[in-house]
């Protein structure tokens, strides 16, 4: 297991804590539009400030492709963080170089330094050694609390901790890894639900869970691919043709435990009179119809299947939930998950859109854990490893 904050030396007073955070937040007209990720970093920052350490924060924002881009500056995050943390937050650009180094050394008790977007420099995603070396000079020890980027081997995630000792996981990363790790040996019955649209990314994970789970509920565009793999007409529905063989192999590995929708909500654009929305049985989907949600019968079956389960993992919405006409399936699963939690079950939600759906349902605080990083969660669950986590182990100095 990676080192945690509790493995750091007891006396951190005056020491610069170089912290990789995930402040990849949505911006709107130069303001932070959703501060969830900033809030998620507060426990670690407070833990460090209580010990009088001097936090120096590194993060990326968006995909500036190695060039400075004012629209993707972390500057607006500095003031949002200052408000949430109730501390003075200084800002320095660029994230490497003389100014950043001076600012890190001049930090006073209680102050935090946020550095400019790491991806303004081409060396970040290339995990450039020289950049990692320059960044490593900005701290006396390293903390990674950016769960959402642990699956990336970048300068700020793997390059720095390879050079800066000690290096530890922050409280958010610790909590995420614990929650996902618990699914390795889940309480039973263990039910998983898969949906969403990014099937190619998830089918490997699904293969693993087919071996481990007692029941697998499938919805969303994922279900369309499975239906098509069984030879069912899916009309104009979103189907991943390239994944049909994989879907067949998953079905043959665990058909008796896999549940597919028996009815779906379709939009029919074939008639000249514009769109019509209907609930149809899956064997009645016509060429002009696109399945955009699971139907009421399937909703009921899935909610019933979840009743009384001891552990539940959910990745991917059951339909195009952004449109209220196709949100009922996703909402039903969100409510069932809250019910499982309320009756003592352990529930984990992974995936950015799934998290957005549970937030929209107002049930964020009614499940055991919502992952802050979809890609990282999927990689950890599939392989049990994350590059950014693997470097946070005890190392002797050369
Ligand atoms: P997550 O981010 O939770 O891992 P994905 O990114 O895989 O989930 O998929 C989420 C997206 O899938 C949502 O935007 C949703 O609208 C879309 N989606 C779900 N079901 C369907 C469907 N039947 N047809 C088209 N899009 C769908
Ligand atoms: Mg997504």
């Amino acid at each position: 297991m990676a080192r945690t904050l509790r493995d750091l030396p007891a006396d951190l007073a005056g020491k610069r804590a170089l912290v990789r955070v995930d402040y990849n937040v949505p911006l709107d007209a130069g303001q932070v539009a959703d501060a969830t990720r900033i809030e998620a970093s507060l426990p670690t920052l407070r833990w460090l400030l209580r010990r009088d350490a001097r936090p120096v924060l590194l993060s990326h924002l968006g995909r500036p492709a190695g060039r400075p881009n004012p629209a993707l500056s972390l500057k607006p995050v500095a003031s949002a963080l200052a408000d949430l943390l109730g501390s003075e937050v200084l800002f320095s650009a660029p994230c490497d170089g003389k100014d950043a180094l001076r600012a890190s050394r001049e930090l006073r008790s209680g102050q935090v330094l946020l550095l400019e977007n790491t991806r303004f420099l081409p060396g970040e995603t290339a995990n450039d050694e020289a950049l990692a070396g320059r960044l490593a000079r900005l701290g006396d020890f390293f903390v990674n609390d950016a769960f959402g980027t642990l699956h990336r081997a970048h300068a700020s995630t793997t390059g720095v901790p390879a050079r800066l000792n000690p290096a530890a996981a922050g409280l958010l990363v610790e909590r995420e890894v614990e929650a996902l790790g618990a699914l390795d040996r889940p309480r039973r019955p263990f039910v998983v639900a898969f949906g969403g649209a990014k099937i190619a990314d998830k089918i490997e994970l699904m293969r693993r869970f087919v071996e481990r789970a007692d029941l697998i509920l499938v919805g969303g565009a994922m279900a369309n691919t499975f239906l098509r793999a069984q030879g069912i007409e899916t009309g104009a529905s979103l189907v991943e043709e390239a994944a049909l063989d994989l879907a067949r192999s998953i079905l043959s590995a665990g058909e008796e435990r896999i549940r597919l929708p028996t009815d779906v909500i379709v939009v029919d654009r074939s008639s000249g009179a514009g769109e019509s929305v209907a609930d149809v049985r899956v064997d009645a989907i016509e060429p002009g119809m696109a399945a955009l949600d699971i139907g009421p019968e399937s909703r009921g079956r899935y909610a019933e299947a979840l009743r009384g389960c001891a552990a539940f993992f959910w990745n991917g919405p059951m339909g195009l939930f952004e449109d209220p006409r196709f949100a009922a399936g996703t909402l039903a699963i969100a409510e069932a998950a809250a019910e499982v939690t309320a009756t003592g079950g352990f529930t984990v939600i992974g995936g950015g859109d799934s998290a957005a759906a549970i937030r929209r349902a107002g049930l964020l605080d009614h499940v055991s854990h919502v992952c802050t990083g979809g890609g990282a969660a999927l990689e950890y669950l599939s392989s049990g490893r994350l590059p950014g986590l693997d470097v946070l182990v005890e190392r002797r100095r050369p």
Side-chain angles (χ1 to χ4, degrees):
M1 172 57 200
R3 287 202 293 197
T4 66
L5 295 184
R6 286 174 304 284
D7 300 315
L8 292 171
D11 183 13
L12 299 175
K15 296 268 193 293
R16 293 167 308 156
L18 186 59
V19 189
R20 177 56 161 98
V21 286
D22 180 3
Y23 288 166
N24 185 24
V25 296
L27 295 176
D28 184 20
Q31 298 282 331
V32 174
D34 178 351
T36 310
R37 284 185 163 152
I38 304 178
E39 285 162 10
S41 74
L42 298 179
T44 290
L45 299 184
R46 292 199 172 112
W47 191 97
L48 292 165
L49 288 169
R50 271 203 304 279
R51 282 154 186 85
D52 200 21
R54 311 287 146 88
V56 177
L57 313 184
L58 288 171
S59 178
H60 79 282
L61 173 61
R63 297 174 180 272
R67 281 185 305 275
N69 175 348
L72 295 175
S73 172
L74 278 166
K75 188 96 202 269
V77 174
S79 46
L81 174 62
D83 290 344
L84 288 166
L85 191 59
S87 302
E88 195 179 346
V89 179
L90 310 176
F91 183 76
S92 184
C95 66
D96 66 337
K98 276 207 279 306
D99 289 347
L101 189 58
R102 186 179 327 109
S104 77
R105 290 187 172 142
E106 288 175 355
L107 268 183
R108 291 196 306 271
S109 183
Q111 290 179 328
V112 174
L113 172 63
L114 175 63
L115 301 169
E116 183 57 289
N117 196 338
T118 51
R119 288 195 194 167
F120 283 2
L121 305 175
E124 164 69 334
T125 54
N127 194 5
D128 176 66
E129 286 193 21
L131 175 61
R134 290 198 300 280
L135 295 177
R137 294 175 64 200
L138 301 171
D140 300 308
F141 64 97
F142 181 75
V143 174
N144 197 336
D145 212 20
F147 179 75
T149 53
L150 287 179
H151 59 312
R152 310 268 184 227
H154 292 170
S156 69
T157 56
T158 56
V160 171
R163 288 164 180 79
L164 183 55
N165 223 351
L171 297 172
L172 172 65
V173 164
E174 194 185 346
R175 191 156 53 82
E176 297 266 12
V177 167
E178 247 171 46
L180 296 175
L183 297 176
D184 259 348
R185 271 190 241 136
R187 285 183 266 155
R188 293 188 183 274
F190 175 39
V191 180
V192 300
F194 279 108
K198 279 196 260 161
I199 299 160
D201 291 5
K202 297 176 176 182
I203 216 128
E204 187 53 39
L205 181 70
M206 204 171 164
R207 201 209 292 278
R208 308 254 313 186
F209 272 114
V210 166
E211 297 159 10
R212 218 184 293 163
D214 298 298
L215 203 57
I216 300 107
L217 312 174
V218 189
M222 177 86 105
N224 300 336
T225 299
F226 277 89
L227 292 170
R228 174 74 70 85
Q230 289 185 322
I232 291 171
E233 163 74 60
T234 49
S237 307
L238 181 60
V239 168
E240 199 155 339
E241 301 287 342
L244 290 177
D245 280 342
L246 261 168
R248 276 185 210 108
S249 79
I250 288 173
L251 280 171
S252 65
E255 192 143 28
E256 66 293 347
R257 276 167 290 131
I258 297 174
R259 299 287 177 273
L260 298 178
T262 44
D263 61 339
V264 286
I265 308 290
V266 295
V267 59
D268 189 350
R269 299 191 181 97
S270 62
S271 79
E275 288 193 347
S276 64
V277 173
D279 172 31
V280 302
R281 314 226 32 100
V282 290
D283 57 9
I285 301 174
E286 289 171 18
M289 297 176 174
L292 296 178
D293 195 8
I294 58 173
E297 179 183 280
S298 307
R299 252 185 264 152
R301 282 169 53 230
Y302 287 9
E304 185 57 38
L306 279 169
R307 205 157 291 142
C309 77
F312 175 51
F313 174 71
W314 178 24
N315 177 276
M318 294 290 111
L320 199 138
F321 73 100
E322 295 91 341
D323 182 332
R325 296 176 298 169
F326 310 110
T330 301
L331 192 64
I333 299 292
E335 283 168 352
E339 185 67 33
V340 168
T341 321
T343 51
F346 179 67
T347 51
V348 177
I349 317 298
D353 294 291
S354 315
I358 200 119
R359 184 176 312 123
R360 189 176 292 196
L363 296 170
L364 206 54
D365 298 327
H366 295 264
V367 292
S368 310
H369 185 74
V370 180
C371 297
T372 56
L378 295 187
E379 178 156 341
Y380 189 62
L381 288 170
S382 319
S383 70
R385 310 192 54 172
L386 288 166
L389 198 62
D390 291 344
V391 292
L392 303 178
V393 290
E394 197 150 356
R395 270 175 292 107
R396 291 178 196 291
R397 286 188 182 281

